Amino acid sequence: MKSPVNFALVICIAVLGAIIVSLMDVSSPALSFAMGAILSGLACLYLPLPNFIQPEQGPSTSTPSSEKEEESPQSKTLYVGNLPYRANENDVRTLFSEHGEVFAVRLMKDKRTGKRRGFGFVVMAAGHADDAINALNNNVYGERTLKVREANEPKKQANS
């Protein structure tokens, strides 16, 4: 199990299965629990779970910049360069949301001064990412010409 929520969900399904099986007049409570766990496990394998039970597959909209974001097949990460220094995450989100669903925005800051460095990353729906690139690349925003393209994969460090 990957999280305590998944474990709790499996236990709840097993207990529910045990209750259902116990209604069939099985003599032993342990046997009814085991049969319920097996039946509910088989049901979980072969029946699709609703979206609210399945684990989240895309990046969340409020991940801190220190947390590693994983790109799912439904999203693409775009590099946005030459941003005005006064632009903030909400400004960039608003700009890109005109062209599709935006999941996350990260603007890079200088570690020592805390000032923005003029570039960042936008995670948005894969179906709309190409539209946003075509519409916003080489466009003027805040008196600066934006550079928008699909982001490269982060490089893995050999000594980490």
Side-chain angles (χ1 to χ4, degrees), residues 2-3 9 14 22 28 39 50 60-61 91 103 116 119 139:
K2 290 186 177 182
S3 73
L9 180 65
S22 68
S28 168
L39 290 176
S60 67
T61 57
D91 296 336
F103 299 122
R116 292 188 183 89
F119 73 95
N139 259 9

Side-chain angles (χ1 to χ4, degrees), residues 89-105:
E89 282 85 357
N90 288 333
D91 296 336
V92 175
R93 181 182 298 275
T94 302
L95 177 67
F96 277 82
S97 65
E98 294 172 5
H99 304 284
E101 184 180 3
V102 175
F103 299 122
V105 176

Side-chain angles (χ1 to χ4, degrees), residues 14-134:
V15 169
L16 181 64
I19 292 170
I20 292 170
V21 171
S22 68
L23 296 175
M24 294 183 210
D25 293 330
V26 176
S27 60
S28 168
L31 183 61
S32 69
F33 182 80
M35 287 175 54
I38 291 170
L39 290 176
S40 61
L42 290 173
C44 286
L45 284 176
Y46 294 109
L47 297 176
L49 292 175
N51 286 339
F52 65 89
I53 296 177
Q54 290 179 346
E56 186 177 325
Q57 294 180 358
S60 67
T61 57
S62 62
T63 55
S65 60
S66 62
E67 217 175 276
K68 184 183 178 197
E69 282 184 351
E70 292 184 15
E71 188 174 326
S72 71
Q74 296 86 16
S75 69
K76 280 188 180 179
T77 302
L78 304 180
Y79 165 82
V80 185
N82 207 27
L83 282 166
Y85 294 109
R86 66 182 180 276
N88 62 29
E89 282 85 357
N90 288 333
D91 296 336
V92 175
R93 181 182 298 275
T94 302
L95 177 67
F96 277 82
S97 65
E98 294 172 5
H99 304 284
E101 184 180 3
V102 175
F103 299 122
V105 176
R106 287 184 317 217
L107 299 182
M108 300 297 109
K109 292 183 179 181
D110 185 270
K111 288 181 182 178
R112 285 180 289 155
T113 65
K115 294 182 181 179
R116 292 188 183 89
R117 297 181 61 193
F119 73 95
F121 299 93
V122 175
V123 180
M124 64 184 306
H128 302 288
D130 292 331
D131 296 337
I133 291 171
N134 293 332

